[in-house]
Amino acid sequence: MKRFKKILALLLAISMVAVVFAGCAKQGAKTPKANQEEKKVEENKEAPKGSRVFRFADSKVATFNPHIYKTVPERESMLLFNGTLLRIVMNEAGDGYEIFPNHAKAFPERSEDGKVWTFKIREGLKFDDGTIINAKTYEESYKLLLDPKLKNPNSTVFYKDMFVVNAKKYWDGEAKWEEVGIKAIDDYTLEITLESAVPETTILDAFIFPTTSPVHVEMYTSLMNEEKTETKYGTDFDKIPKSTGGPYILKEWVRDQYRNFEKNPDSPLASVYKVDRVEIRAIEDNETILQLFEKGELDYVKLLGAKYDKYEEDPRVDFTPATTAMFIILNTESKDNPALQNLDFRKALHYGINRNVIAKDIYRTGKPANYYLPSSYIADFKTGESYRSTPQGKEVEAYTEVFNADKAKEYFDKAYKANGSKKINFEIAYFDTNENVKKISEYMEEAYENLFGADRIDVQLKAIPWQVSYDNVEKGDYQTGFAFWSGSRFEPWGMMEFFISDPGRKYNTYRNPEFDKLYERAKTGDLIYDKEGRINALRDMEKMVMNDLPIIPLVEVNIPIMFSDRVKLHSANGKYFPAGGLYQVLQADIEPLEE
Amino acid sequence: MKNEKDIKLTERDFEFVQLEEDIKDQKFEGEAIGFFKDAFMRFRKNKGSLVAFIFIAIIAFFSIFGPAMNEYSFREQNPKLTFMPPRIPGIEKLGIFDGSIERNLRKTSLETKYKDSIVKVVREYEERGTEMVVARVNMYKYKGVEDKYFWFGTDYLGRDQWTRLWRGTRISFAIALLAVTVNLVIGVVYGSISGYYGGMIDVVMQRIVEILISIPRFVIIILFLLYMGAGIVPIALSLVLTGWVGMNYLIRAQFYKYKGQEYVLASRTLGATDSRLIFRHILPNAIGPIITSVTFAVPVAIFSESFLAYLGLGIQAPEPSIGVLLAEGQKELLNYPHLILFPAIVISILMISFNLFGNGLRDAFDPTLRGQE
Amino acid sequence: MLRYIVQRLIAMAITFFIIISISFFILRLMPGSFADDPTLPREVVEQLEDKYHLNEPLIIQYGYFLKDAVKLDFGVSLKVEPKRTVGEILASKIPITMQLNLFAMLFMIPIGIILGIIAAIRKNRISDHLISVVVVLFISVPSFVFASGLQYIVAFKWNLLPTVLSKEQVLNWARFKSMILPILALSFSGIATITRYVRSELCEALNSEYMLLAKSKGLTQLQATIRHAMRNSFVPLANIIIPIFTSILFGSLVIEKIFAIPGMGGVLINAINAKDHTLTIGLLCFYSVISLMTVLIVDLSYGIIDPRIRIGGRK
């Protein structure tokens, strides 16, 4: 018996020691196996002295598979080492954008009826292992993107804003590939056939993001499982091509920790991008990022929340407007609170919230918004003019007010009477994981009760797990819901999809056939080539929404950022162009790294 | 041979040997003291525990009367006065808690925006060609509210932290006491039965416990809060879901230790019932560990509640609790440490005090120390 | 004893099965879907979910799950690290967390024991109270305060150590330097627990009768303490240390976030939040096995170590 116990104890001890060594061995195994390219990786771990490197911190990437990625950090990293047919770059003067034909020789040609777009592909493009990229590669890649067994979520690019012939059917498994409107006519010509004509911005939007990059077909298919329903492409450093003809080459990827990129001299963008090397560290904690920046280990930092206070007067601070519209959805068909059905009540809510307080005192650097589309949305991609600075955009801004206590009280009196002069129970649903949502909710509770009288309105706060909030709104089981909505900067019309009567998923109660008509005209109808007409449409759509107030817009968020001294931005006035991506930085003049 | 059953003994068979004489014995020198008086005396001797008890009482006192001590309510917002540093009258003359905070300012602003509010200039430096200073700014003067005193500063909506802290302590106490009491009852009963009966009953009961602790608590809590809302009772109950398990293990271990002892055997031979054995003979041995565990469990409950608040499952806004305050303070830890400083001090004092208090109680109630010193 | 172990192993298997089944159903009860991109049309979402049988009745889903689980195939992660199997994810995250925490244990166990001994020997005197206060401070001040504080002061203000985990993948000096601060931050609560435990056990041991006997035999206080009291009080340390070791596998959410360590911290919570059902169940299976083994080992350690306890005996 004693021996048995001794053996047991020994086993325990051995297993613990084994684990220690396994840990060390696994750590060791993580260094890449003997392989020429991998050997180079060892040397490239830290930026060599004198290199023009741009270092920053971002969230970790869950995957590098272009067909399933979801987040912005993933997109930005993938744009570095993936090739795309088209790219947006800063123009020479540094005061606007231009379209750079990356893998395509030029912006695609459009047929008479606008339904067929033809790309001419450059010659000499290749993957990092030398495999050639041509139109056939693109066709195969899109075939994999739409594969009915893989069911890739990003396939919607071909059947949501623009409708490629039979693309959805193929994805459903109801058509053959030959019937789909994507064809490589010859080795260097790619033809896309649509069911109906679309404006240029839609095409632009579809082909500047990694979703439509080429994939290494051989690797992709060799990494599939038996039933061909999943592929391990993009899940690890050794399971992706290090470059699909992109401007940079992926040199290292340690999951959840860091990723490094080096310039690809063979890319068409080699002359445009000046940065030699990009190093991205995966760090979630903002304070840590700030400390690394101050220590000189990072070249870029965002000052979120109250961290801005200390840097209020620092000359290094600049601003980048967010692309996310932030607003509260109101259930205009609410049974729990019939007052919400009354437009006067909603107007009272709209005028009664002091957005200046939210913008300045809660967000510090926000801008009060009494409109839907944030300033970063661009009305004319050729000049980069933001929609909000157009006369039409300004018209909407002047249409209602950012705060008017008296008007609010007037509207509330009317609504109160209509409610039978009974106390109105208003519920604001918030979720705790977004710090600002909670702050704003608490502020609104006090503000409304003080303004309208706590005897006439009772504002209750309700905490819901955020997972549930969009679900509740979809089901109609809510009075209010916070929404953060974003889209592509070059497609503000896409943002208006939120309000049509029947989008793929409906998160509000607004149904207006006139709005739908206007939306159709701007997206696929007679306005698609009419630049001015489309901007007018935006104005009219926004006004319609502000008339009915199914949502209450709150603020625009401007995020304060700082660049390190080494980064000399490529821009006419030295300031950060509202771009929201890495574009401007990659073209910046970066001083070589010292020490 | 007469059968044993036939022997009958009655009182008449016994005779007193002697009845008249006094039995000379030593007189009792001391008083007879009962169990609790004995415990109390021992407790008093332990200075550390007394001090701890006083601290707990002080905090409890403030949690009841604190919010009433100044004119701010816990909900009252002052959006212009967010993140104000603490300012305590009297102490501010010493240079700490004087409502000032360090800021990086442009040298030019010293004469314009920040005139009159500068306490002192710490150092000068240059940034991108602009001359900058690190200066201590009196935020109360800067915002023009020299007549206001926020003893513990304000939070992100300009709400008075003093009031919120004590109100929060109240709520945290309520949650913790509720949770700990329920945990105690369930844990003791469960552990006793499982430990006493042993065998199959024990195996089954402990397996149930294992199942309970292995199912992710997080999921259960989310579902709980979804259906019941985020109030004091649901949060306390969600802490109960697996909080009693520790007590269960403790009691069970004690039972295993003591149930084989001779005095238990003796009692059983004399005909004691199971419940009498459990509650009168074995359980009192566990009083020591129970007390230590319970007194420590109160701050631990507050901590769990803080972790829940950090994950977004805290008490409903705008009510504060120590957990919520800790979670909020953590977000701006290095810029505005006063937000986390005071709740952290309170919970530290509570933990230390409960610990020392618990130690003292345990020593006081330890039956093996009876009659010593 | 052997019979008891076999009994427990069988019970463990049953318990494990029940845990996984109950968790399975509870998880599917959670509202929301892994395809939570709000811009995806409903119809597309449904097809994505159908691929993983998420819209069928729970029983049928359970059937699919069991069928695959028997082959040890838990599928691939749906959202957190898409298309990677649970095994791959664990294999890449556990070593880091494990390494960090093993160092932490190597640090905290000796220190905890020493502090506990000092506190017990000098019971109720100044040093005891001091140690108690310091120890309780370690537990009561939230771990992130220590972590943030250490990072700010040591790595930032004094610039002595790196702010985040180094990029080196082998355990060389540079990497170890970057691990010092997280190791310290992780150790604090462990030190506190061990100190408290050792102190209380040793106190009890010092008060017991065999100490009296030892001294009456002629041993000095010191000799008696070392030869008898300490050995007796260390022995149940197993049931403190083993749970600490396994709680390590859950990773420390906050510390790993602050020091940018790509470990296990929060991976279960992220999986649950993301409705990544396959990953969640896979992780749960892993954690359950570890938990159950821990409980078993601790129970056995009671029996092995303390001869007074007869595990499994009748009343």
Side-chain angles (χ1 to χ4, degrees), chain B residues 180-192 240 244-245 247-248:
Chain B
V180 168
T181 314
V182 177
N183 281 339
L184 177 66
V185 169
I186 300 182
V188 166
V189 168
Y190 201 87
S192 308
V240 164
W244 55 269
V245 165
M247 183 63 70
N248 158 69

Side-chain angles (χ1 to χ4, degrees), chain A residues 287 291 306-307 309 313 315-316 361 364 430 432 438-439 442-443 446 449 461 463 563-565, chain B residues 75 77 79-80 82-83 103 106 109 113-114 127-128 156 159 312 316-318 328 332 334-336:
Chain A
E287 188 58 49
Q291 284 178 24
K307 295 200 192 347
D309 289 353
E313 306 216 338
R316 296 176 290 180
D361 299 320
R364 297 286 194 264
Y430 73 95
D432 238 330
K438 184 167 173 218
K439 291 180 194 178
E442 288 178 308
Y443 173 68
E446 281 298 292
E449 285 191 359
L461 296 180
F563 283 104
S564 73
D565 296 332
Chain B
R75 279 173 60 142
Q77 299 171 3
K80 292 281 165 235
T82 58
F83 293 118
R103 279 262 169 277
R106 301 194 183 200
S109 306
K113 264 191 351 187
Y114 288 90
E127 191 74 67
R128 300 254 172 106
Y156 54 81
R159 293 180 295 202
Q316 187 101 280
E328 286 171 8
E332 299 296 344
L334 291 166
N335 292 314
Y336 295 107

Side-chain angles (χ1 to χ4, degrees), chain B residues 87-259:
Chain B
R87 187 177 181 209
I88 305 179
I91 304 190
E92 62 173 335
K93 309 265 192 301
L94 297 173
I96 51 165
F97 293 142
D98 57 353
S100 69
I101 197 167
E102 271 190 18
R103 279 262 169 277
N104 302 347
L105 304 173
R106 301 194 183 200
K107 201 149 177 212
T108 46
S109 306
L110 285 182
E111 295 305 309
T112 50
K113 264 191 351 187
Y114 288 90
K115 208 157 162 349
D116 297 336
S117 332
I118 305 287
V119 173
K120 71 167 185 225
V121 174
V122 176
R123 63 182 168 95
E124 297 186 12
Y125 67 100
E126 197 199 302
E127 191 74 67
R128 300 254 172 106
T130 315
E131 290 191 344
M132 306 279 295
V133 294
V134 176
R136 251 198 127 64
V137 178
N138 183 329
M139 294 304 284
Y140 288 81
K141 283 213 188 113
Y142 176 58
K143 303 244 179 171
V145 284
E146 279 184 74
D147 52 326
K148 281 200 196 290
Y149 280 89
F150 292 110
W151 297 336
F152 282 170
T154 64
D155 70 353
Y156 54 81
L157 279 175
R159 293 180 295 202
D160 179 45
Q161 281 292 87
W162 167 272
T163 314
R164 282 176 72 78
L165 178 60
W166 296 123
R167 192 184 171 92
T169 310
R170 223 188 271 172
I171 295 181
S172 292
F173 261 139
I175 296 179
L177 285 172
L178 182 58
V180 168
T181 314
V182 177
N183 281 339
L184 177 66
V185 169
I186 300 182
V188 166
V189 168
Y190 201 87
S192 308
I193 298 180
S194 176
Y196 182 73
Y197 288 103
M200 196 38 110
I201 297 185
D202 178 42
V203 169
V204 169
M205 286 180 91
Q206 290 311 309
R207 303 290 75 71
I208 296 181
V209 166
E210 278 172 12
I211 295 177
L212 260 182
I213 56 177
S214 302
I215 298 181
R217 218 164 44 135
F218 187 62
V219 182
I220 303 186
I221 293 180
I222 289 191
L223 289 173
F224 219 74
L225 293 178
L226 254 182
Y227 288 114
M228 292 189 64
I232 293 187
V233 175
I235 293 194
L237 287 183
S238 60
L239 292 178
V240 164
L241 285 174
T242 47
W244 55 269
V245 165
M247 183 63 70
N248 158 69
Y249 279 132
L250 207 72
I251 299 292
R252 185 169 164 267
Q254 291 292 324
F255 268 80
Y256 272 115
K257 206 161 155 188
Y258 287 105
K259 74 179 178 190

Side-chain angles (χ1 to χ4, degrees), chain A residues 514-527:
Chain A
E514 265 197 62
F515 186 96
D516 295 343
K517 232 184 290 166
L518 202 46
Y519 178 77
E520 284 301 314
R521 290 177 64 196
K523 283 289 278 187
T524 50
D526 57 304
L527 290 175

